[in-house]
């Protein structure tokens, strides 16, 4: 069974009551974690963080 982690991601400049809860697998990469955080925050990657 793969280990799962639940992370709370708090946007900078917001109160601690604003966060996104993300669940990731222990097998996921940091790149996948980054993608999940950007997706959860509706980040638009038009120019600075294009994959």
């Amino acid at each position: 069974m793969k280990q799962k982690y639940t992370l709370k991601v708090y946007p900078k400049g917001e109160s601690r009551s604003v966060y996104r809860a993300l669940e990731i697998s222990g097998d996921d990469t940091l790149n996948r974690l980054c993608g999940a955080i950007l997706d959860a925050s509706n980040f638009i990657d038009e120019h600075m963080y294009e994959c």
Side-chain angles (χ1 to χ4, degrees):
M1 181 178 199
K2 295 180 183 179
Q3 184 72 24
K4 291 201 175 200
Y5 298 93
T6 302
L7 307 171
K8 286 185 179 180
V9 179
Y10 298 90
K12 184 177 180 178
E14 297 290 333
S15 71
R16 295 293 280 180
S17 64
V18 176
Y19 65 89
R20 300 289 187 268
L22 304 175
E23 186 175 282
I24 63 167
S25 168
D27 293 336
D28 281 336
T29 64
L30 289 175
N31 192 48
R32 285 188 52 120
L33 173 59
C34 180
I37 292 170
L38 294 177
D39 288 345
S41 60
N42 296 322
F43 184 79
I44 299 172
D45 55 355
E46 292 178 342
H47 65 291
M48 294 199 62
Y49 187 82
E50 288 189 24
C51 296

